[in-house]
Amino acid sequence: MRNRFLIFLLLGFCALTDVVFTGCESAVQSTQNNKTSFAIVVDPVTKQKVESSILAYKEMLESEGLKVYVLSDNWASADTIRETLKSYYHSKPQLEGAVFIGDVPIPFVMDAQHLTTAYKRNPGRYPLHIAAIPSDRFYDDFDLEFDFIEKDSVRPLNYYYSLAVNSPQYVRSDIYTGRIKPSIFPGEDKYNLIEAYLNKVVSLRNNTELDFLMTFTGHGYNSNALTAWAGEKLALREQFPELYTTRGRIEFLEYRMDEFMKPFLLSRLQDPDLDIAVLHEHGAPEIQLINGTPDVSSVPASIENIKKYLRSKLRVAKDQGRSLSKTKQDYMARYEVPEAWFDGTFDKEIMDQDSVYSYNMDIYTEDVHEISPEAKFIMFDACFNGSYHKDRYLAGEYVFGKGSTMVAFANSVNSLQDKWPNEMLGLLKWGVRVGNWAKQINTMETHLIGDPTYYFKTNSTFDYNKVIATPGDNRSVWEELLTAEDPDLQCLAISQLSASLDSDFSNRLRELYFSSPSFVVRMEILKQLYHYNDQNFKQVLGAAVSDPYELIRRTAAGYIGDCGDDELIEPLLKIIFDDNYSKRVRSNAYGSLDFMDPDALTQALPAIAQKYSYVMNSSVLRDQLLKRVAQNKKKVTDYFEYAAADTSVMKYRMQEIRTLRNYYYHFVADDYARLLTRDDLDNDLRKALVEAFGWFTHSVQYENIVKAVGEVAVNENLPEDIRQEAKRTLNRLAVFNPSARLMVTPKL
């Protein structure tokens, strides 16, 4: 009966939409020769314009064992596409991925900022097209549930949705997706670009072995920490050992290597032998930030840096209509500089020189438009480089340009620095499709631009794509890969076996952490135990602050702040006293310090400082920390009292409450929980506080928070929108609560 239902479902879809090339009959024909399936989703105009190229792309994929559906329609909403893809996923052969070509609806998701790494725009201040997240998780994570809001009347591809209250509150993509939507310069025809790109994909298929990888680290990334930079190189050696031999090539570039790295970086990206480029930078939709103000030691060069800075600030003041004389006086007083250092600010020659200097520090879409990028796969670790919802965006300029770049991994909105960008990247050397790799690490903002089915040639005879596409059928494979020699295959197995949140496997993860020699395996274990949030997690977390791998220490420092447990005070202070030169680790540790119980810190600090008395000036550091803790306690307590007082200015009360989305002050969480249930609390503030508590997933005050939010959820005297927000927060909190696993629907 189930098969008959699927047949009728597919026949029904054929009647409702234009299924090109495959036709209705092929949609239900025998699939015994196909391992999995793939969907090409294309708008009618693009289909008509580039039909022969789409057909060639389809035939190429079918030659690789995929059953290919080509779907085209004038869609009334994105829901139709999603439901069709979902039906194929539950059919045989199972859908493994999809690509959206041309003008396919773009879902923008509200109420899901907690599923990004960093995006936290205030929906009360910004319109939907800015406050919402452009995300194809709408299409590829079928367990997520959405409520339709509206279609944009000005931006016809934008469809706005809210993540439903009862939806799972975590991302775990069922299929992979990609966008073939070019970046457009004036005078260019997007259909010509799509056609040229598809022809390129077909002509260059399966002729590249992965033997050259390049990484670049831009100014300001990971706080310019050399220990972070070095740690990545050691981890990549585990993931790509063959690149460190005479049979391969790996190159590490960094902004400090030249005052202007832009020319060399653009040259390297055009190297025909380059296979993967990993670009760690800050950015925007049309810019990669490469160099900062140069680090100099000579007095003349230092003065020139300051002069450039002062001239730029004076020009900004003029653009904003502020007083130039007052601006000068303010900077002269602040930095004790002479007025002469502002000379030439508005002289055309100097303005042109400063402009050229600034332009040469960064890469713009105009620069990429003029070159031929050759890296087959590019990872953009910057904010907004993957803003595919815009007409021009940087990742699209690389992929749909004149070179051989096939696919990019990039962010549609801003992104956190302290994530693990290279997680399981070594899977690509085993012939894993870029899409099957990407779906292991998806967040709401990550997207593949270009062909998601791209893969590198491999000598492996095992079909990793098949087992990744059908993970629930392959537990025995994951168990076997758990002991594989390749660390990224181990990481894949750890991720898949952790999906069930089985407590026995948590014990195995703890044991494996303390026995594994691999940086990346231990990092994967720490990440997965974070989802378990049990005693094994706490035990590993306490040890992780001493791990040789900088990223593990850095992540652990942040995780401690997520928890706020007193038992983690000593590991946290160990970082501050004993890991002084791991700049980013120390930064995260200080951030977490402010979230901990100040009374417990004050009590623990003297003994811990004595333990690290061998550290130079440990007593001075102890006193500085005691002062910081006392000041932070007063500041946070004052903020709470301000937020709680009816006499305070509403705007700033709201600001203090929304701050809790980024700053987990556990030691006042109980106070805020009591405030939440106060009858006279303004309902706008109540709703904002309920939402903010959704970020306290690991808090030591978890039970008090859940109790207070639960009271709001069932309080029929409160408006429906507040009660719904409370239910959403309870679902978010349940994801990481060992005693509430029944509220979660993990996938394996």
Side-chain angles (χ1 to χ4, degrees), residues 70 109 163 171 224 556 648:
V70 184
V109 183
L163 184 68
V171 170
N224 305 328
S648 301

Side-chain angles (χ1 to χ4, degrees), residues 120-227:
K120 290 185 177 67
R121 290 291 180 94
N122 185 346
R125 292 182 55 192
Y126 296 97
L128 280 173
H129 72 279
I130 296 177
I133 308 153
S135 181
D136 284 337
R137 298 298 82 75
F138 177 91
Y139 290 124
D140 59 39
D141 189 331
F142 298 129
D143 290 297
L144 297 180
E145 297 176 16
F146 302 91
D147 296 322
F148 179 67
I149 300 174
E150 64 181 50
K151 178 182 178 181
D152 197 313
S153 59
V154 177
R155 305 164 188 84
L157 290 184
N158 295 10
Y159 290 78
Y160 301 104
Y161 295 84
S162 168
L163 184 68
V165 169
N166 294 322
S167 171
Q169 301 291 312
Y170 62 97
V171 170
R172 195 173 183 90
S173 296
D174 297 285
I175 63 172
Y176 58 79
T177 55
R179 285 272 174 177
I180 297 179
K181 182 178 179 293
S183 171
I184 309 294
F185 266 70
E188 289 185 321
D189 182 275
K190 64 182 177 182
Y191 303 110
N192 290 341
L193 292 173
I194 292 173
E195 183 175 45
Y197 172 75
L198 289 172
N199 293 342
K200 175 175 72 173
V201 167
V202 173
S203 65
L204 298 179
R205 190 64 161 192
N206 196 29
N207 66 350
T208 302
E209 293 184 10
L210 204 175
D211 54 18
F212 180 16
L213 182 150
M214 178 269 288
T215 74
F216 172 77
T217 302
H219 171 73
Y221 185 83
N222 285 343
S223 302
N224 305 328
L226 290 175
T227 50

Side-chain angles (χ1 to χ4, degrees), residues 395-446:
E397 204 59 49
Y398 278 92
V399 173
F400 303 104
K402 296 183 283 288
S404 301
T405 298
M406 295 290 157
V407 60
F409 185 72
N411 301 299
S412 61
V413 294
N414 59 322
S415 180
L416 190 71
Q417 287 188 70
D418 290 320
K419 61 182 185 298
W420 185 13
N422 299 342
E423 182 179 2
M424 299 192 218
L425 191 62
L427 294 179
L428 297 183
K429 70 176 179 285
W430 296 103
V432 171
R433 300 187 191 278
V434 172
N436 275 325
W437 162 77
K439 81 172 190 174
Q440 309 303 318
I441 61 173
N442 275 340
T443 60
M444 289 298 282
E445 71 266 26
T446 53

Side-chain angles (χ1 to χ4, degrees), residues 499-519:
S500 64
L501 296 174
D502 175 59
S503 59
D504 289 338
F505 192 66
S506 173
N507 295 332
R508 293 172 66 186
L509 289 178
R510 183 199 66 233
E511 294 170 2
L512 184 56
Y513 177 86
F514 288 107
S515 63
S516 175
S518 167
F519 281 12

